[in-house]
Amino acid sequence: MDISLFRPGPVAADMVRPFIEARHGRAPVRHPHEDLAGVLGETYGVVVFHEQLIEMVSVMTGCDRAKADQARRALSDPESQEKIRVWFAACAAGRSYTPEVIDRTWEIIKAFGSYGFCKAHAVAFAVPTYQSAWLKAHHPAAFYAGLLTHDPGMYPKRLLLADARRRGVPILPVDVNRSSAVHRIELVSNSRIWGLRLALADVQGISEAETARIAQGQPYSSLLDFWRRARPSRPVAERLAQVGALDAFGGNRRDLLLHLAELHRARRAAGSGGGQLPLGDGRRTARAGLPDLDEAERLSAELGILGMDTSRHLMVDHETFLKELGVVSAKRLRDAGHGETVLVAGAKAATQTPPVRSGQRVIFTTLDDGTGLVDLAFFGDSHAACAHTVFHSWLLLVRGVVQRRGPRSLSVVGAAAWNLAELVELRREGGLDAVSARLATPGGEGGGDGRDKDKDKDKDKDRGKGAGEGEGVPGEEPGGGRRIELSTGYQLNPWADLQPPGERAATGRKLWHQSPGSAG
């Protein structure tokens, strides 16, 4: 039932709040008319399913269900809606319903429209939801392996991996001798715990043919054996080395990269593969004396090549700094009181700007800090100070107020936002006092990130030139606000296009989810 309730139709008809209040006994069950008590009884007096809407129309007008379903379908067409209203009112009046009842019932029908779920559709969602919940509880490694392989897309893979890590699932790196094209599970040595082995297919730029050759040729005795039989392209082989997939062959990762360069040079010199290669047939790769990749370089390689922080959660590197600032973790946030002002931080997992009943433009953002997720909401009065940073920074520090709506519903209403990566650099260069000064200084249009207003205005003007061909066209709204409207008529958030060049994610990989209408 919950799956069907949170659909645009029931939300637009204001069915969510009355349903929750009645379900928990905080408000009486109300029906537009007692004749509809049987239709709406199982859903506490509100319309949740298509079948209920069809039955309401049938009861109120006396028509059969086929005719009622035709009327429901026609509600999605604005031109047909008025005809349906006139027909509905006339038929209902002929069955002695009062104008008040007719008007109230019509408002529900009109708001619900045709955008909802029928019961069969809801069941089709609910059954795999329950099955997935059972699998996650009892076989978490298998659950995450399937989820990462089939990638439903709503959540970035790194977020799924962080959730697996929190549930105690060992994360096993990509390994050319153990990984396959898909994510799979393995028994961790010296234990009976199942770990999650990452897939070859997640390596950036690897082809299906290369993945198949690597999997079919397993195991490999040496780097040379792998190079000869798997025949990877040089870029793919180097990416495999950077993320540790070739560690079993000995040497550090920079040594492996050097040997791969020599193998590639020998392959080109030998033409079709003949000639003498620079490596012997030994099982260990000779050390070249190069320094290994450090921890930061390894993490950067994982994010850029796999789109996931596989060796550790990236926020672990900032734990000490965040403690200095008094940042509240997602796990500790559960104990925060309503109205409490807090600092929260994390890697952006999602940004959405959906339409809401009030008509306001609200930015919803979710942060992942390794201990859990923090849900944030930025309302219109904070956009000038926060929107640029929220849309275009990946690591965020946010000051906001805890908002609770019930024992389990918790979010933070954001009032200020900063690019955490910039603050980390400021801490390194100027110390904690410099960071404290930055946090205490009201930000410009970009929201506490030290951006220059005049420069942003110049950028806005530049972005407005020649932007009419399917792109956002910035304009001025009354009161000095910005407006960005696409050629389709859809309006973006006023701050959605403010991204200076060169500030995109350094990895080139999409590491968070964004909905249409958000800048990403």
Side-chain angles (χ1 to χ4, degrees):
M1 191 174 293
D2 292 350
I3 292 172
S4 301
L5 184 64
F6 290 94
R7 295 285 92 196
V11 169
D14 194 20
M15 297 288 100
V16 177
R17 180 183 51 81
F19 178 91
I20 294 174
E21 294 293 317
R23 186 176 190 177
H24 292 282
R26 297 192 291 264
V29 175
R30 294 187 176 92
H31 305 99
H33 190 274
E34 60 184 13
D35 289 353
L36 301 177
V39 178
L40 303 177
E42 66 175 328
T43 54
Y44 303 94
V46 304
V47 182
V48 176
F49 301 110
H50 279 172
E51 290 88 344
Q52 292 175 302
L53 195 68
I54 294 169
E55 192 69 17
M56 285 174 65
V57 173
S58 177
V59 169
M60 295 281 288
T61 65
C63 72
D64 60 22
R65 290 183 178 84
K67 175 67 175 177
D69 190 36
Q70 290 178 357
R72 179 194 64 81
R73 293 172 182 271
L75 291 172
S76 59
D77 181 4
E79 294 182 3
S80 302
Q81 201 171 90
E82 179 61 21
K83 296 178 181 178
I84 298 299
R85 186 193 68 79
V86 172
W87 167 79
F88 176 82
C91 293
R95 294 173 65 82
S96 302
Y97 291 103
T98 65
E100 293 77 12
V101 170
I102 293 172
D103 290 343
R104 170 57 184 153
T105 307
W106 172 253
E107 287 302 316
I108 295 173
I109 292 171
K110 177 184 175 183
F112 190 95
S114 61
Y115 204 118
F117 274 2
C118 65
K119 288 185 178 180
H121 196 172
V123 170
F125 271 72
V127 169
T129 298
Y130 281 113
Q131 291 171 336
S132 297
W134 184 90
L135 191 62
K136 182 177 180 179
H138 298 284
H139 302 281
F143 169 77
Y144 289 108
L147 203 59
L148 287 165
T149 294
H150 296 288
D151 189 14
M154 179 60 192
Y155 297 105
K157 285 189 172 184
R158 64 158 307 275
L159 188 60
L160 300 176
L161 204 66
D163 194 50
R165 191 181 284 116
R166 283 194 296 272
R167 292 190 64 84
V169 177
I171 308 301
L172 308 177
V174 179
D175 187 326
V176 294
N177 276 334
R178 294 181 176 273
S179 296
S180 67
V182 299
H183 298 268
R184 63 186 187 186
I185 60 175
E186 279 184 27
L187 275 174
V188 178
S189 59
N190 300 323
S191 74
R192 300 186 63 182
I193 300 174
W194 288 96
L196 170 63
R197 176 67 68 180
L198 301 181
L200 292 166
D202 277 336
V203 175
Q204 185 181 26
I206 195 168
S207 67
E208 291 185 7
E210 285 174 307
T211 301
R213 284 200 302 272
I214 293 172
Q216 290 169 4
Q218 294 170 345
Y220 301 98
S221 60
S222 65
L223 181 64
L224 179 59
D225 182 35
F226 169 73
W227 182 259
R228 283 175 168 170
R229 293 197 292 118
R231 305 190 308 281
S233 66
R234 179 181 177 181
V236 166
E238 290 179 340
R239 290 171 191 146
L240 289 168
Q242 287 176 283
V243 297
L246 307 181
D247 284 357
F249 301 141
N252 66 45
R253 296 182 188 181
R254 277 204 174 88
D255 290 337
L256 289 166
L257 290 171
L258 177 62
H259 285 300
L260 287 170
E262 292 299 320
L263 286 167
H264 176 70
R265 187 178 296 111
R267 174 188 284 174
R268 294 185 62 182
S272 61
Q276 182 66 37
L277 292 177
L279 292 179
D281 287 326
R283 293 182 178 276
R284 307 295 293 175
T285 301
R287 295 186 178 276
L290 297 175
D292 199 357
L293 300 180
D294 61 29
E295 293 299 315
E297 289 172 322
R298 291 188 179 205
L299 185 62
S300 178
E302 291 166 5
L303 291 168
I305 294 170
L306 301 174
M308 297 177 282
D309 37 349
T310 59
S311 57
R312 67 190 186 283
H313 194 283
L314 62 95
M315 292 301 294
V316 170
D317 294 350
H318 306 304
E319 280 184 349
T320 301
F321 179 47
L322 297 180
K323 286 180 180 178
E324 292 176 335
L325 297 178
V327 170
V328 179
S329 68
K331 187 175 182 179
R332 289 173 49 219
L333 190 63
R334 302 168 193 163
D335 300 324
H338 179 76
E340 184 178 341
T341 299
V342 295
L343 278 175
V344 294
K348 187 165 62 179
T351 301
Q352 297 174 302
T353 54
V356 295
R357 282 184 57 82
S358 64
Q360 297 183 37
R361 198 64 170 165
V362 184
I363 305 171
F364 295 101
T365 302
T366 301
L367 299 183
D368 163 36
D369 70 356
T371 71
L373 301 179
V374 178
D375 291 324
L376 298 160
F378 295 88
F379 293 95
D381 57 358
S382 70
H383 288 186
C386 302
H388 173 273
T389 304
V390 172
F391 277 136
H392 302 301
S393 300
W394 182 33
L395 301 183
L396 290 172
L397 175 71
V398 176
R399 180 186 293 124
V401 177
V402 175
Q403 185 175 75
R404 287 186 175 275
R405 294 182 178 177
R408 299 179 62 185
S409 176
L410 182 149
S411 62
V412 175
V413 178
W418 296 268
N419 184 333
L420 180 60
E422 291 182 2
L423 296 179
V424 170
E425 187 64 25
L426 184 61
R427 172 70 173 87
R428 184 180 298 112
E429 295 177 353
L432 192 59
D433 289 341
V435 175
S436 299
R438 171 71 64 85
L439 299 186
T441 302
E445 288 183 355
D449 55 4
R451 299 191 316 129
D452 186 274
K453 285 187 178 183
D454 294 330
K455 289 181 180 179
D456 284 336
K457 289 178 181 178
D458 292 338
K459 287 169 184 172
D460 295 346
K461 292 177 183 177
D462 292 339
R463 289 175 182 274
K465 297 176 182 178
E469 297 180 1
E471 298 181 4
V473 182
E476 294 295 328
E477 290 184 334
R482 301 176 74 255
R483 173 177 52 80
I484 306 172
E485 186 170 326
L486 301 181
S487 58
T488 59
Y490 191 91
Q491 288 191 0
L492 293 176
N493 185 281
W495 303 92
D497 70 334
L498 295 185
Q499 180 169 2
E503 292 189 6
R504 297 181 183 275
T507 62
R509 301 290 293 269
K510 202 58 171 176
L511 300 173
W512 61 87
H513 167 77
Q514 79 283 350
S515 69
S518 77

